[in-house]
Amino acid sequence: MPAKVGAVKVITVASSSIFNIGDVYSMCPDSSAKTYAGGGSFNTGDGIHIELENSNTYVYDKDKIDQPVT
């Protein structure tokens, strides 16, 4: 149903957000991210014990594109 909209002031829109005024059928925001983390970084649960002497995280990526969002 069409509507009349008055003045709108948009201060900021985040990178994976959608801003819409009016009728819309479907909205599908896409985003991608590359995360680097050392050993034992994403462990979850109760009573986890991790011993790391030296942990190296290599962030060099020669192809630069892993999974493009189209």
Side-chain angles (χ1 to χ4, degrees):
M1 171 185 245
K4 291 183 180 180
V5 178
V8 176
K9 182 177 182 180
V10 177
I11 303 299
T12 184
V13 176
S15 63
S16 62
S17 299
I18 293 178
F19 176 76
N20 179 60
I21 296 176
D23 298 337
V24 65
Y25 173 73
S26 176
M27 300 175 88
C28 300
D30 287 333
S31 67
S32 64
K34 185 181 286 191
T35 303
Y36 299 107
S41 296
F42 296 115
N43 293 324
T44 59
D46 296 330
I48 293 176
H49 179 76
I50 299 170
E51 293 183 23
L52 296 174
E53 293 294 325
N54 289 328
S55 177
N56 294 325
T57 302
Y58 299 102
V59 297
Y60 175 72
D61 189 5
K62 62 183 176 183
D63 60 356
K64 294 185 178 64
I65 297 174
D66 291 330
Q67 186 173 1
V69 176
T70 56

